[in-house]
Amino acid sequence: MKRSTRLPVYATAGTLAFFYLPLLIVLVNSFNKSKYGGEWKGFTFDWYGQLFSDVHIWGAFCNTLLIAVAATIVSTVLGTCAAFALHRYKDKLQFLHYLMIYSPLIVPDILMGMSLLLLFVSLKVKLGLFTIILAHISFCLSYVAMVVLGRLQDFDFAIVEAAYDLGASRWQTYSRVVVPVLAPGIIAGALFAFTLSIDDFVITFFVAGPGSTTLPIYIYSAMKHGSPAIINALSVVFLAMTFALVYISQRLLEDRK
Amino acid sequence: MNLTKLAMTAAVAAFAVFAATSCGASKKSLHVYNWGDYIDPSIVKQFEKEFNCKVKMDFFDSNESMYAKIKAGGGGYDLIVPSSYYADIMFKQKMVQPLDKSKLPNVANVDPEYLKKAVDSKMEYCVPYLISFTGIGYNKDKVKNFRPSWRMFEDASLKGRCVILNDPREGMGAALRTLGFSLNTVKQDEIDKAVKLLVEWKSNIAKFDVDEAKRGIASGEFWLIQNYNGDMLQAKEENKSVEFVIPEEGGSFSADTLVIPVGAAEPELALSFINFIHSPAISARNMQFTKYLSPNLPAQKLLPEEFRSNPAVFPLPEIWAKCEVIRDLGEANALYSKAWDAVKAAEVR
């Protein structure tokens, strides 16, 4: 085997460039005076100014965050429980249970959106933030369950038995032993759920009620008549948020060690 | 007990969120479903003040998704702004209510010449909101011997520098008008001739596109594109050499309209909003903000001279006579999809 090959370096650099070059262009263009981003017309903070003064964008932003936080919390709790149950208990119906958790991952968004809308309408539930949160929980749950299930494969249940032997109660065992060991998986699942929730467009569009516009819906609808430059600024804010979140979670995981 | 506390806080937070989402307001509120960035925000604020209500705006990105959602029962809106051919479809499906004209004195301001071509010429269920035209946006410095004609797409000096809209009705429409046929025709031989012409043009154009074309003409990458007048006016702010003209063979126009869906909670307030939009001063302000045309005659008279004499916003009467609105053709829509597939699949010489 040749040791002097630089292929891995080039492959890594190429992949990173492929991912981050478009984001860099968006970042640069958000400060570009030009509305369409064809040429550099000068440095400006105007787009950010407009972003922060537009009441629709603020409203959509708050809605998006609210929905994401609520959906993440509930789906992380439920998803972790689901993963635990799937891993721990073997009974004849387990295959069916696994399918039930797995199917939201493969059903197309538009089918889920339409069917949830039909469900809410037939149950006479008023569309609004609540229905969006319910819809997001339903698919985020599956993702969290899958991630935690993966983490559970490495989990050695001997430590649970050891905890019982040492006199820990059931609750103490779960809160002091199981969850901390599974923590990286749970946090990863929660982050995944959060990202999916803030990004979701199709399902949210169908189950949103009047007054509950989210950021993706606003951005899509603004593409036809609106200014592309403000969307650049919005994207940069989102990116900054995402990077901050990932950084914080990395620090949290390190502290645990 | 660390985790217990965390669990409890999380539960409380989640409940707080659920609680917050169910807060209501005491004022009446009007729910409007509109395209993004398609109304002057100061107009909305003024309506809220004058009528002492709250206006909640929601947005959709295409007629199709709006229609799918409303049809499936996802209502709750008092006023919707569909394109005119969709307003027609929705009326036929009994999704929108007839309008009580006695509450709409200002719609007398709507141009009767426009109404002759409109889908709902008696304004029984929809009132026109804003009209946009499709035409040619071109860079006057780069394009030599410009003629206001769709035939410019054959000009060899523009090879690789022009773009046609990636929309079956618009692309076919340009070809059909050039040949003198209606862009709503259902005659197969006329459609076939248009396909032949489009394939000839295809060898000269850079591509079929909508958004990239706008960007390209503002940046100077493209010199001649088929596009909408409002967008070209915005591009002109960016690049002074951009001009817009409707070709002499005529083009298409599309109108967005105001409708009140069946089951609206506040139909009276919605009617007041429609009436408010068509008061001359308000309509004039909206036109200047969105850069689209409202067929409101007194409002047009209030516009500044340079806006009014701009052929991009106000086509000359002889050109207007040749413009047609794109109509929904029901089952015949399939003829256009097939034709468009043939154009896209054709090999370029």
Side-chain angles (χ1 to χ4, degrees), chain A residues 8 77 113 123 146 231:
Chain A
V77 171
L123 289 178
M146 288 295 126
I231 296 175

Side-chain angles (χ1 to χ4, degrees), chain B residues 14-316:
Chain B
F15 268 112
V17 161
F18 281 123
T21 63
S22 44
C23 283
S26 53
K27 279 200 267 202
K28 284 212 276 213
S29 54
L30 179 72
H31 293 140
V32 180
Y33 207 25
N34 198 353
W35 303 83
D37 220 23
Y38 206 36
I39 188 168
D40 186 344
S42 67
I43 291 181
V44 177
K45 280 210 185 64
Q46 193 176 330
F47 182 78
E48 285 181 330
K49 261 218 244 7
E50 275 185 30
F51 287 81
N52 192 27
C53 65
K54 280 216 59 85
V55 175
K56 290 206 190 136
M57 303 228 30
D58 280 291
F59 308 101
F60 58 89
D61 61 309
S62 73
N63 286 306
E64 287 74 13
S65 23
M66 177 271 300
Y67 176 76
K69 185 171 172 181
I70 306 283
K71 186 100 181 119
Y77 302 107
D78 302 310
L79 189 70
I80 308 182
V81 191
S83 299
S84 59
Y85 62 102
Y86 257 92
D88 186 36
I89 297 175
M90 286 165 85
F91 182 66
K92 294 203 178 88
Q93 301 264 333
K94 304 205 186 340
M95 289 157 72
V96 299
Q97 5 174 323
L99 299 171
D100 180 2
K101 297 260 251 308
S102 66
K103 305 249 170 45
L104 299 174
N106 280 335
V107 298
N109 294 334
V110 176
D111 188 352
E113 282 302 311
Y114 166 76
L115 286 174
K116 282 194 200 146
K117 294 201 190 219
V119 169
D120 179 16
S121 42
K122 296 207 189 62
M123 293 192 284
E124 284 171 350
Y125 55 87
C126 68
V127 173
Y129 177 56
L130 291 172
I131 315 177
S132 67
F133 303 93
T134 314
I136 297 182
Y138 67 100
N139 187 325
K140 65 171 187 261
D141 297 328
K142 292 276 191 350
V143 178
K144 315 277 179 264
N145 12 282
F146 176 76
R147 285 164 11 250
S149 158
W150 293 116
R151 292 263 177 208
M152 284 304 288
F153 285 113
E154 294 166 5
D155 191 321
S157 67
L158 295 170
K159 192 172 170 71
R161 292 284 189 177
C162 44
V163 179
I164 295 183
L165 280 174
N166 192 18
D167 178 315
R169 299 301 302 273
E170 299 281 9
M172 291 290 293
L176 284 165
R177 293 297 322 167
T178 313
L179 296 168
F181 305 134
S182 158
L183 51 79
N184 290 311
T185 182
V186 294
K187 298 203 187 101
Q188 191 62 52
D189 60 321
E190 292 179 357
I191 294 180
D192 290 337
K193 291 201 184 99
V195 169
K196 223 160 135 263
L197 184 60
L198 260 178
V199 172
E200 266 177 48
W201 287 352
K202 188 177 170 181
S203 59
N204 204 37
I205 63 170
K207 54 175 163 169
F208 293 96
D209 206 299
V210 181
D211 293 315
E212 288 304 313
K214 257 196 293 188
R215 235 176 290 261
I217 200 153
S219 69
E221 182 188 346
F222 299 126
W223 295 345
L224 191 117
I225 62 177
Q226 178 190 23
N227 214 295
Y228 310 103
N229 61 338
D231 291 339
M232 287 300 93
L233 284 175
Q234 286 180 2
K236 195 182 160 79
E237 278 177 4
E238 172 104 347
N239 180 345
K240 301 275 177 285
S241 337
V242 173
E243 295 288 346
F244 176 85
V245 77
I246 301 178
E248 58 203 7
E249 301 99 341
S252 71
F253 70 89
S254 76
D256 291 312
T257 59
L258 301 160
V259 298
I260 303 182
V262 163
E266 301 276 359
E268 295 295 320
L269 205 50
L271 284 168
S272 312
F273 193 77
I274 299 179
N275 199 40
F276 181 75
I277 287 280
H278 272 290
S279 58
I282 301 293
S283 186
R285 251 165 64 201
N286 207 19
M287 275 198 265
Q288 292 185 286
F289 178 83
T290 58
K291 307 255 186 310
Y292 285 100
L293 175 67
S294 163
N296 182 318
L297 285 174
Q300 290 172 8
K301 296 203 175 60
L302 290 174
L303 293 169
E305 183 56 41
E306 49 161 310
F307 202 67
R308 230 176 338 138
S309 58
N310 189 339
V313 188
F314 288 88
L316 300 164

Side-chain angles (χ1 to χ4, degrees), chain A residues 161-185:
Chain A
E161 283 155 30
Y164 284 148
D165 280 347
L166 290 168
S169 73
R170 211 173 176 139
W171 176 252
Q172 277 176 324
T173 315
Y174 280 121
S175 64
R176 302 289 198 98
V177 179
V178 177
V179 172
V181 173
L182 284 178

